[in-house]
Amino acid sequence: MNFRGVAATLVAMVLPDIAHAHVGLHTDGALAGFSHPFSGLDHTLAMVAVGFWALTLGGKARWIVPLAFVTVMAVGGGLGIYGLAFPMVETGIALTVTLLGLLVAFEVKVSTSVAATVVGTCALFHGHAHGTELPVMAHAGGYVAGFMAATVILHLTGFGLALLRFGNAQRVAARTAGVAIALAGAVRLAG
């Protein structure tokens, strides 16, 4: 599926919940889900880093890696929504932020399948955290679609930042940003 197909699917999933007119019966799941990845710096940094790293990997990884993240994150979200226990989620999130920052900082090159596996593992933790925070009375499908859509936007932000890096000065800036992301994860892990 190409990017337009993914975008169309996300829009189709989100629109029914947004159009729901029974105000007061439930919190809008789509909007709550959309805002969740932006509510924590750890989620935002990880998702931008995935987009950045995917673009620097090039080739099919530019689409497969973010798609793997979004897909596995939805699965993790479902696990969280249905109350399936997942050990050490917060520690896992901190580790994923650190790992993704290092992958960006050191421009680590791996095969697309390895990269998809790495980000998929990271996504499971982030998705589970999103799912466990489903607001009471929110529509679960809209909530998941909302955080998936926000994640796509954050991945695209990472793409945009990766496109800006050209020449030595921008490479240094990209590496510095990667190290800063890794440090943010390490600080969260320690605290």
Side-chain angles (χ1 to χ4, degrees):
M1 180 179 290
N2 63 24
F3 178 74
R4 288 183 192 161
V6 171
T9 301
L10 289 173
V11 168
M13 289 174 20
V14 172
L15 281 179
D17 198 58
I18 292 173
H20 188 70
H22 298 283
V23 178
L25 292 179
H26 64 81
T27 303
D28 187 351
L31 293 177
F34 186 84
S35 67
H36 193 268
F38 298 103
S39 68
L41 188 58
D42 50 356
H43 295 307
T44 304
L45 291 174
M47 293 168 192
V48 169
V50 167
F52 193 104
W53 187 46
L55 195 76
T56 62
L57 289 171
K60 291 182 180 182
R62 292 175 297 184
W63 305 111
I64 292 173
V65 170
L67 185 59
F69 189 96
V70 172
T71 303
V72 176
M73 185 186 60
V75 171
L79 294 174
I81 288 169
Y82 290 105
L84 295 172
F86 201 74
M88 301 175 22
V89 172
E90 293 304 318
T91 301
I93 289 171
L95 287 171
T96 67
V97 174
T98 303
L99 173 64
L100 292 166
L102 292 171
L103 293 171
V104 168
F106 294 106
E107 298 181 28
V108 175
K109 300 292 186 198
V110 296
S111 69
T112 300
S113 60
V114 169
T117 301
V118 168
V119 301
T121 303
C122 295
L124 197 57
F125 288 99
H126 289 270
H128 190 277
H130 293 333
T132 60
E133 295 183 22
L134 173 71
V136 176
M137 302 298 290
H139 182 266
Y143 182 75
V144 171
F147 71 66
M148 289 172 70
T151 299
V152 169
I153 290 169
L154 290 167
H155 288 336
L156 291 173
T157 301
F159 279 16
L161 292 171
L163 288 172
L164 294 176
R165 70 181 185 102
F166 51 88
N168 286 334
Q170 284 75 18
R171 281 220 154 137
V172 169
R175 286 181 186 233
T176 302
V179 169
I181 291 170
L183 287 174
V187 165
R188 180 153 192 256
L189 187 60

